[in-house]
Amino acid sequence: MSQALDIARRNPNAPAVEAGAIADGAIEKVAERPLAPGALAGQPSLVGLTRAELAERLGAIGVPEREQRMRVQQLWHWIYFRGANAFSEMTNVGKGLRAALAEAYTLARPEVVSEQVSKDGTRKWLIRMPSTGPLDRGAEIECVYIPETDRGTLCVSSQVGCTLTCSFCHTGTQKLVRNLTSAEIVAQLVVARDRLGDWPHASPAEGAFVPSDGGRFVTNIVFMGMGEPLYNTDNVVAAIGVMSDNEGLGLSRRRITVSTSGVVPQIERLGQEANSMLAISLHAVRDELRNELVPLNKKYPIAQLIEACRTYPGVSNARRITFEYVMLDGVNDSDADARALVRLLEGVPAKINLIPFNPWPGTKYSCSSWERIERFSEIVFRAGYASPVRTPRGRDILAACGQLKSETEKLRARARMMAESGIGAEGVYAAAAADD
Ligand code: SAH
Ligand code: SF4
């Protein structure tokens, strides 16, 4: 418990929190909803914006066009390299402009409604985006941080809920509220860096579960939270542009992985414009079964999907495509399925990620036995593919990518589950990073 609190105390950016245990060894902290200066007056935040958007905001307060490029450069450095929280920190920006900026804008982050820290160091934040109008209390999304020795992976959301209805996915049962803007996607990384003390000037989160190789705490991004990223491609591409900018947040595009259920017409564009790594939620090797598990398959069947992977811009043995395969007991986990999977992927630079299914209340599926998963993995491995089984992470805090739901519905589901079965919400894990 003290480890997580240490982070909050040591990190000057972290809002005040209260701690309270939610499960044995896990921690839940609820923010006291601190408001950034200016937030009361409803000024918009500059955090998360692209260079073009920043230039536009500068223009709106009268900064002449010829000056905008230089000013954007300054803001960029302060916001994305140093993690500045206030315009007053921007010592190389003239006092007049600092005051004008503070009058019109803030550097507020979206609100961290709660932070949960698992015994294994996995962290889950419930983040509330600013309200977009009087009737909107602000979209809520979840974002998960998974630390390992040599990397720290942030699992980000691209939509609130999901319009697709994969039969094994919890998020799919929540109807889409809306797409996240690119700024809201980027803000998830900014919030994570705040909470972990992962800025150059911040005290590192000593004693906490963060990579121990001396590098940054967030090194990898996976778009495996709520939503289908390729139904929000414009904003995902723009967000990746901001996250990977060398003068700011500085994540390598090779360490950013976009996971899609198979929106074929958007795949090439993602490669061309974002140059990110690609993960495909395959889960079945026959159209008949995939139609049931991932209904989008009826629109874009397996053959089309694999062809799009074969021709994904930049794909090579050094930049392989990850195929995610959720292990469903008696559904897709036979030896014959494993062999068919290997045949299907022949000639595609691929790695296969076997995911133990995370049960959720009301699901008709259960997870394959460990022996079955090992046997499946062995067949795939013998055929020459690395086939890591995703380690369950964050079980005690329900930190499962692909299972994330906004708070209202989740609470209802949890209450229902407990009432119906009397069991705790175990068996939930977080997605690990795609391999570098
Ligand atoms: N919509 C995108 C990205 C978010 S889902 C996609 O479908 O790829 C992230 C991953 O979690 C996907 O591979 C998804 O199939 C998987 N997933 C969803 N529900 C799951 C569950 N209950 N158990 C295990 N994996 C699940
Ligand atoms: Fe949406 Fe992905 Fe879940 Fe399918 S698996 S419902 S695409 S979030």
Side-chain angles (χ1 to χ4, degrees), residues 168-170 283 323-329 332-333 352-360 363 365-374 376-377 387-393 395 399-403 426-432:
F168 55 90
C169 175
H170 206 191
H283 309 315
F323 288 86
E324 295 159 280
Y325 198 95
V326 64
M327 299 301 292
L328 301 169
D329 186 31
N332 64 354
D333 62 350
I352 296 161
N353 206 340
L354 301 179
I355 316 176
F357 170 66
N358 292 303
W360 39 273
T363 181
Y365 301 109
S366 55
C367 184
S368 311
S369 70
W370 196 246
E371 295 71 48
R372 188 91 291 277
I373 297 178
E374 277 190 336
F376 197 100
S377 163
S387 52
V389 179
R390 224 181 248 178
T391 332
R393 297 292 301 262
R395 278 171 188 268
C401 290
Q403 285 203 312
E426 288 293 310
V428 181
Y429 74 105

Side-chain angles (χ1 to χ4, degrees), residues 13 51 81 105 119 194 232 252 260 270 274 283 290 322 350 367 395 428:
N13 298 326
R51 286 177 194 268
F81 186 78
Y105 305 116
K119 279 184 276 190
D194 282 354
N232 189 15
S252 156
T260 178
L270 177 78
H283 309 315
R290 195 163 190 272
T322 302
C367 184
R395 278 171 188 268
V428 181

Side-chain angles (χ1 to χ4, degrees), residues 162 164-166 168-169 171-172 225-228 261 402:
C162 186
L164 297 172
T165 51
C166 301
F168 55 90
C169 175
T171 307
M226 289 162 62
E228 169 49 58
S261 57

Side-chain angles (χ1 to χ4, degrees), residues 360-363 412-423:
W360 39 273
T363 181
R412 230 185 285 136
R414 260 196 252 173
R416 194 175 62 228
M417 180 178 71
M418 282 168 189
E420 279 170 7
S421 63
I423 55 164

Side-chain angles (χ1 to χ4, degrees), residues 258-340:
V258 173
S259 173
T260 178
S261 57
V263 187
V264 169
Q266 298 289 319
I267 290 180
E268 187 184 351
R269 199 185 140 203
L270 177 78
Q272 261 159 11
E273 295 179 21
N275 193 20
S276 67
M277 304 299 280
L278 177 67
I280 301 287
S281 295
L282 188 63
H283 309 315
V285 287
R286 288 174 290 114
D287 279 324
E288 195 194 354
L289 178 60
R290 195 163 190 272
N291 286 346
E292 191 185 311
L293 299 179
V294 184
L296 187 66
N297 192 70
K298 292 180 207 151
K299 210 164 170 190
Y300 309 117
I302 295 176
Q304 278 184 30
L305 181 57
I306 300 297
E307 192 46 35
C309 292
R310 240 181 254 288
T311 54
Y312 184 65
V315 69
S316 70
N317 279 337
R319 284 175 68 107
R320 291 167 192 265
I321 293 172
T322 302
F323 288 86
E324 295 159 280
Y325 198 95
V326 64
M327 299 301 292
L328 301 169
D329 186 31
V331 176
N332 64 354
D333 62 350
S334 70
D335 288 0
D337 286 317
R339 287 192 290 266

Side-chain angles (χ1 to χ4, degrees), residues 83-122:
N85 263 306
F87 295 109
S88 55
E89 290 175 45
M90 302 182 174
T91 42
N92 59 349
V93 178
K95 268 196 176 152
L97 179 56
R98 274 177 0 215
L101 283 165
E103 208 166 285
Y105 305 116
T106 73
L107 295 175
R109 281 73 164 130
E111 180 188 345
V112 177
V113 179
S114 70
E115 173 177 75
Q116 295 178 352
V117 185
S118 158
K119 279 184 276 190
D120 69 14
T122 299

